[in-house]
Amino acid sequence: RHMFMPSRLQPHSYCSPRVRHSHSHSPQTPTLIGRFPRRRPSPKNLSSSFLSAFPESQMSGDLDKSSRHLVEARVAVINCPGAVPFTPLFSAMFDRAAAADRDDGGVNAEVNVTEYQAEAGKLPSLDGNYDAYAITGSRYGSYETDEWINILKTWVREARQKDARVLGVCFGHQVIADALGGDGTVEVNAAGFEFGTYRFQPDERFVQIAEQLYDVPPPPSGSIDMFYVHGDHVKPSALNGLELENMGGTDVSPCEGLFDAKQGRFLTLQGHPEFDEATMLACHTSLTDKRRLPGAMPGETDSEKSDLLRRQLASCSEAPACQAWLAQLCTSFLTADVRRAE
């Protein structure tokens, strides 16, 4: 769950590499995000303060893939209501993986994205129109009772029954755990609030499955570094009741991801592989300037909490060593079926 809520962005109002949203007036209409001319986000559609938080390298740029044959994968991104434009960040992550050489985290696949708005209650079909699905973060908790969250949980259970390939990130990780594990699987983390870069040692079985089923080598340093902004977590006591295995965790959050050890069809991450330092800075600004400091954070006063956030933000001064590896992991997982078929 994201604990920050800056001013609401207009729907379908942003662009990113290989991404352009149609300006549909119906929030229930899925938006095809295909290969369009690259454009920078329009200042008319994004506030200057928010736009300045994202460098050109994140939101635009020419990617030279002309010398390589890339298979195409159709991915439905289920965008959940949050504080940042998740879908273009996901698309930029896919582009980075497609543009990189194999030894630098490259994936021989180009991802065509269709976005669905979860809050509208309109979710992608599971009848073969898509090769894979991704569920984004959100400012909501997966244990909340809003109708769209219940609809999404039902969709997750159906996706599991139909052996769909699903990636969940942050809230997506939690809602998958809640849907498959039942009520009470996710809770506010009494140990505190994770903000910044954290490292954990992945389970050896996950490393083997990632290499065997997704063609992803082990993380460069043997551990996984990722950006985090969350105050909820999957309860350690609920892990035994899940159909998925724990990827590993930190002292604050013992479960930082889940993987499917039997079929390899589900993968979740508590952190944000699609984020970068600029995104974290925007999150920090929202939490502090808008005085929306989460109750899960240590500290009695806003001033104490703000000081803690500033110290934690310092951990983002260097990009995670395995940022390219995370992009490779997510893109390889989502495109595994089409690459195998090729």
Side-chain angles (χ1 to χ4, degrees), residues 280-321:
M280 294 299 296
L281 179 60
C283 296
H284 175 269
T285 299
S286 177
L287 283 166
T288 54
D289 291 359
K290 296 182 180 298
R291 305 181 68 82
R292 294 191 174 104
L293 297 165
M297 283 185 61
E300 295 295 328
T301 68
D302 282 355
S303 177
E304 291 173 342
K305 292 180 178 182
S306 295
D307 288 343
L308 176 61
L309 277 183
R310 279 192 288 272
R311 292 196 299 273
Q312 291 175 324
L313 184 65
S315 69
C316 301
S317 60
E318 297 181 6

Side-chain angles (χ1 to χ4, degrees), residues 55-185:
E56 286 194 30
S57 60
Q58 177 78 350
M59 301 297 285
S60 67
D62 293 321
L63 304 177
D64 182 10
K65 303 187 284 286
S66 58
S67 61
R68 300 164 56 203
H69 170 66
L70 302 177
V71 298
E72 294 187 9
R74 303 160 301 169
V75 174
V77 173
I78 301 173
N79 185 73
C80 303
V84 299
F86 292 113
T87 303
L89 293 175
F90 270 77
S91 187
M93 176 178 69
F94 299 149
D95 265 357
R96 290 195 299 273
D101 293 332
R102 176 66 176 83
D103 294 339
D104 295 325
V107 180
N108 189 40
E110 187 166 34
V111 178
N112 291 323
V113 172
T114 303
E115 181 189 65
Y116 287 80
Q117 298 296 338
E119 196 171 21
K122 183 70 174 180
L123 300 176
S125 66
L126 293 162
D127 57 5
N129 287 335
Y130 301 105
D131 301 301
Y133 308 83
I135 306 174
T136 74
S138 176
R139 63 176 178 266
Y140 287 81
S142 64
Y143 44 75
E144 296 185 55
T145 58
D146 297 63
E147 183 180 6
W148 71 267
I149 296 176
N150 293 328
I151 292 173
L152 180 56
K153 288 179 183 179
T154 299
W155 182 92
V156 168
R157 288 188 284 268
E158 184 179 355
R160 183 64 174 165
Q161 292 173 355
K162 294 189 174 182
D163 292 331
R165 183 174 293 278
V166 182
L167 170 70
V169 170
C170 198
F171 169 84
H173 155 76
Q174 296 166 6
V175 81
I176 287 173
D178 245 348
L180 301 182
D183 292 342
T185 301

